[in-house]
Structure formats: C-alpha cells, structure tokens
Amino acid sequence: MLPLCTPSRAALMTGYYPYRTGMQHDVLFYTVPAGLPLQFPTMGDYLKRLGYATHIVGKWNLGFCNWKYTPLERGFDSFLGYYQASEFYINHTTGVAPIFGFDFRNNSKVAWEYFNVHSSIPFVKQVTNIIANHDSSKPLFLYIPSQYVHDPHQVPQKYVNLYDNSPITNPIRRQFQGMASAMDDDVGHVIAALKKYGLYENSVIGFTSDNGAHPQNAGNNYPLRGWKGTLFEGGTRVPGFFHSPLLTKTGFVYEGLMHAVDWMPTFIHLAGGIADSDIDGMNMWPSITNNQQSPRSEMIYNLDTTTGNFVGAIRESNWKLTIGEPGNASGWVRPQDVSGSYAYDLHEGPIANEVENSTDVYLFNLEFDPTEHFDLKELYPSIKTRLLQRLRSHLKITVQSVYRPYDSAGEPKNYNGTWSPGWCQAIVHPQKLE
C-alpha cells in the first residue's frame, strides 16, 4: 500500500499509481479543494458497467468539495458513511480547532439521525440490509472501508473488557485491541448475512489495510521499520487476504509482490471484465489462488515532487531504494505495555548507525533484511544507480499533485455545521509535471 490513506484508496479504486492521478502527496483533509480527477474511472464505475449493483459503506476520503467527486458520482449506487479521513465514531464530527463539522451521509443526504450513534451500528445495519434486499439476478460489489481501527479510540466497552486479563496494561493499546475485536465482529456480521441470504457460496472477499500503523495511536508494526506516513516497510507493508468458497487451494501465505494498484484489475477479472490497458495494476488472481510466482517484479511505493524535492521509493525483486526523506520514523518502535508508553528504539543492534548516518538515498535487500537495518548503497553502487535511473524514468508519466491549500469556502459554518460539497471546481485532467 501507500504510506497514507488517500493515496492508497486512489490506487485501490483506479489501478493507477497515485503519481499518475495527482493523488500522491497527502491526505485530503477538511477544506482542501481537490479530489480524484474525473478522468479516472473507479472500480465502482467498471463494475457498474458490467452489470453489478455497487455500494459503499464507510470511509470515502477521495474528495468531496464538488458533488462530482462523491461516491454516487463515482460508480456507486448507494453510500452510507463519511467523506473525510477520520472523525469521532459517535458524534461524527471532525476538524481542527476551532473549525469542526458533522460528516455523515446517507447517499447525498446529511444523516443527522445518526448523531450520537456509534458508527458501527448503522454500518452493520446498512450492510445487512443491502445483502438482504439484493436482487439476485445481478452481481453485487460491496465496498466496506471500515472506520476501525483508525483513531480516535472509541469502541463499546464490552470489547475493551475482553482484555481485562491481558498482559497489555497500556489503556490506549487495550482500546486499540478492543477496536480490532469489534472490527472482527463487524466482518462476522457480513459473512453471516452473505450465508443467510444465499450469496456466500459465490462470493470472493478481499481484506486489506490502507497503510501501516501509527505507534502514537497505539498501532504497531514491529519488527518492521517506520510507521504510517513513511516509505519504510512499517508504513507500506500491510496484511491482506482473500477468502472464498471458490478457492481450491487455501491455508498458505502468498509471498509474491502485490501492490495497492493490483486490487482493481484483479476484481475486474473476477467480474469477467478487462481494465484499461494503460493502468499500473496487474491481475493477481491466477498467481495468488495457485500460489505461483507474482507477475510483478517491480513496484513503486510512491513518487512525489510536490514540495520541490524528489521523494520516492522503488522495489525491484528483493532490492528496495528510497530517495529523499522517507519519513520521520528513523527507528523500530516497540509497544511498552508495562509503562504504557512507547520506546523509539533507534539503536537496535550494532548496525543501526549505518542507517542513521546514511544520506538521502537508502538501498536495502528485503530478502535478507526485511527490517531495513542495513543500508547497502556503498556496497552495491551499480544497483543504486540502476534503481535511481528507473525511478527517475517514471517522472515522464508523473502529473502534478491535485493537493491545494485550504479554502475557507468549504468550512462547515457555510453549510449548516456540516462538511458538504459544492464549493470547488472539479478537476477532470491533472496537469503534467513541468
């Protein structure tokens, strides 16, 4: 995945690397007047053309300042959820002091009826209703970007109580664990509904995170280096799985390369369609289901020149190169459950300083060093040069980020206290990188 939620969701929904859609730079927060450019069809668009009923329940985060950016205009028949990157689970407000607003929608309508109702309740009810009322003559695509386990930590107490006898004493970490258990229950409700209404036997279920965890929010990626927002493995390597009665080979961990952009063409293949030929994603279904070698030997973690600096990372086979500032997590973070705090372990082992003292280019071999302790650029200068040239070659197809400064026209005070569309021009085609 990408280091942050907006770029990851853009990649997942379109099959394009974010530097080709203008979504590479940052999270689309609050009054940023931007969204996923309209020229790029989403997975919902593709599947709708193939006759699918398409629904989204949960987090959007691909732009909302213009109605054309919102889910009902991007290939989805229905939407229950929120536009922003995060919000409170119960009162559904979000913002930065002193600017806060309500962000919860039932299709295009502000859903005030869910004020002070934990989001998991309407989300589970909506998913169940969609499955129960689905016209079985049509195939179904149900996209459920869960609010769990994003901060803030708000979960019914019964889930926190599951860890009363746990060795975890950090109260925030225990809440985080409770949120993970609550998410498990929500997924269980989805599976139960699919079985009850006769859809399970012909379903394929994909599950993934959108970026690495953040230790300050009680997440943890140890022993991987870094966290959310970094190009290190802790910010980009995430768990994922496929589950389906249609699978003939199960119970194994797939070790091949797969990127966020690969989800879209894989699902389009399963639906009997073909994605546009110029996307970056690859159909992974034959390789994963047969546990065969991945068709992917290279992937781009990200590429961003928005600030004037060249920041990016590339992987070729087991070699990984980063250029520019890969993120502010220069070490390996362990949750310290006894003290309830986090220790930033910057000196783990005798070779930690080799990484700390390196310049703006890192070179790692992830087969032998998945935790990114050894910077090998001085030992393998030819590999460093080749990967730098390869990464720079992608600048030819890079577009400018759509990210713009905050615009007060989008403040909730202008829309009855809500985060609402209607205050920006939609971008159709992102500008080429100059």
Side-chain angles (χ1 to χ4, degrees), residues 32-45:
V32 173
L36 177 66
L38 303 184
Q39 79 171 77
F40 299 103
T42 70
M43 198 185 310
D45 289 315

Side-chain angles (χ1 to χ4, degrees), residues 185-236:
D185 266 7
D186 287 357
V187 173
H189 288 303
V190 176
I191 303 301
L194 290 171
K195 291 180 176 179
K196 180 178 179 179
Y197 296 103
L199 301 181
Y200 174 73
E201 294 300 324
N202 198 39
S203 292
V204 174
I205 299 156
F207 184 95
T208 183
S209 179
D210 58 351
N211 46 244
H214 201 307
Q216 291 178 347
N217 293 327
N220 194 253
N221 309 300
Y222 191 81
L224 298 180
R225 184 183 187 191
W227 60 49
K228 174 179 180 176
T230 78
L231 290 168
F232 294 118
E233 294 297 287
T236 56

Side-chain angles (χ1 to χ4, degrees), residues 87-92 102 104 111-123 125 147 154:
E87 65 172 19
F88 288 101
Y89 286 70
I90 298 173
N91 67 22
H92 310 298
F102 183 80
F104 211 78
W112 288 109
E113 63 270 27
Y114 296 120
F115 180 71
N116 280 343
V117 179
H118 195 286
S119 62
S120 62
I121 296 173
F123 286 165
K125 182 179 179 180
Q147 186 169 3
Q154 293 183 312

Side-chain angles (χ1 to χ4, degrees), residues 11 36 42 48 52 63 66 68 89 95 139 153 159 198 201 295 303 315 356 365:
L36 177 66
T42 70
K48 199 167 186 177
Y52 274 70
N66 189 295
K68 292 181 180 179
Y89 286 70
H153 302 104
Y159 292 106
E201 294 300 324
L303 196 163
R315 178 167 175 173
E356 289 181 53
N365 186 307

Side-chain angles (χ1 to χ4, degrees), residues 19 231 300 302-314 321-326 360-361 387-395 398 433:
Y19 64 83
L231 290 168
I300 307 299
N302 200 19
L303 196 163
D304 188 6
T305 61
T306 307
T307 63
N309 299 316
F310 183 25
V311 179
I314 184 174
L321 177 138
T322 72
I323 183 171
E325 174 53 59
D360 61 347
V361 175
L387 292 183
L388 272 175
Q389 290 174 343
R390 180 61 182 156
L391 188 58
R392 290 186 185 279
S393 73
H394 285 262
L395 289 172
T398 298
L433 191 66

Side-chain angles (χ1 to χ4, degrees), residues 232-245:
F232 294 118
E233 294 297 287
T236 56
R237 183 173 181 172
V238 301
F241 65 79
F242 281 108
H243 170 80
S244 174

